[in-house]
Amino acid sequence: MAVEEARPRPTMKDVAALSGVSLKTVSRVVNDEPGVSPELSSRVKAAALQLDYQPNLTASNLRRSDGRS
């Protein structure tokens, strides 16, 4: 029986690198914020799908409602 190595979870940085955009652009797409062209949004979503990116909800919940950690 072969033991599979655990792959590290893809990050927003990985999605940004694959799609050729900034980390902020990935953040805007993931959070459905305005200001991203449809072409860039499609590129980011395709990269996220290819990497099987899933937002880290634990990290998101660490952020306080006033935007400070």
Side-chain angles (χ1 to χ4, degrees):
M1 182 194 284
V3 176
E4 289 187 36
E5 291 185 33
R7 288 186 320 175
R9 182 179 184 153
T11 65
M12 288 176 58
K13 284 184 181 183
D14 298 326
V15 174
L18 182 60
S19 59
V21 300
S22 71
L23 186 58
K24 183 60 182 176
T25 300
V26 174
S27 177
R28 286 185 177 121
V29 171
V30 168
N31 293 309
D32 291 322
E33 294 177 11
V36 181
S37 72
E39 297 92 41
L40 281 182
S41 182
S42 293
R43 210 161 78 200
V44 169
K45 288 176 182 178
L49 187 63
Q50 181 179 341
L51 292 171
D52 195 28
Y53 168 77
Q54 297 294 317
N56 187 332
L57 298 177
T58 303
S60 298
N61 289 332
L62 288 174
R63 195 166 168 233
R64 294 188 342 203
S65 61
D66 62 3
R68 297 175 62 195
S69 58

